[in-house]
């Protein structure tokens, strides 16, 4: 899924209209933390699968 500049701009404008400028930094931080946790969880799952294959 590749997003171009136009699509990103539309998403940002809609988010700005829905949540207002004061909430956007909080939402961005929360989204970043969620993505980080998801990646860490996926890495843990992949590491567990790799260990199973080696045994």
């Amino acid at each position: 899924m590749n997003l171009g500049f136009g699509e990103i701009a539309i998403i940002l404008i809609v988010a700005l209209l829905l949540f207002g400028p004061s909430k956007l930094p909080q939402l961005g931080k929360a989204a970043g933390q969620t993505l980080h946790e998801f990646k860490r969880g996926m890495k843990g799952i992949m590491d567990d699968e790799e260990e199973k294959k080696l045994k």
Side-chain angles (χ1 to χ4, degrees):
M1 180 176 174
N2 293 329
L3 294 176
F5 178 74
E7 290 90 359
I8 293 173
I10 291 172
I11 291 169
L12 289 175
I13 291 170
V14 170
L16 183 62
L17 290 173
L18 289 175
F19 301 110
S22 62
K23 292 273 185 178
L24 284 184
Q26 294 169 349
L27 291 172
K29 183 178 179 181
Q33 289 173 342
T34 301
L35 184 59
H36 180 70
E37 287 292 323
F38 178 75
K39 284 183 178 180
R40 187 168 33 185
M42 288 302 293
K43 185 179 182 317
I45 290 171
M46 297 301 281
D47 290 346
D48 289 345
E49 290 295 318
E50 191 65 31
E51 283 182 22
K52 286 181 183 177
K53 287 181 182 177
L54 293 176
K55 289 184 178 180

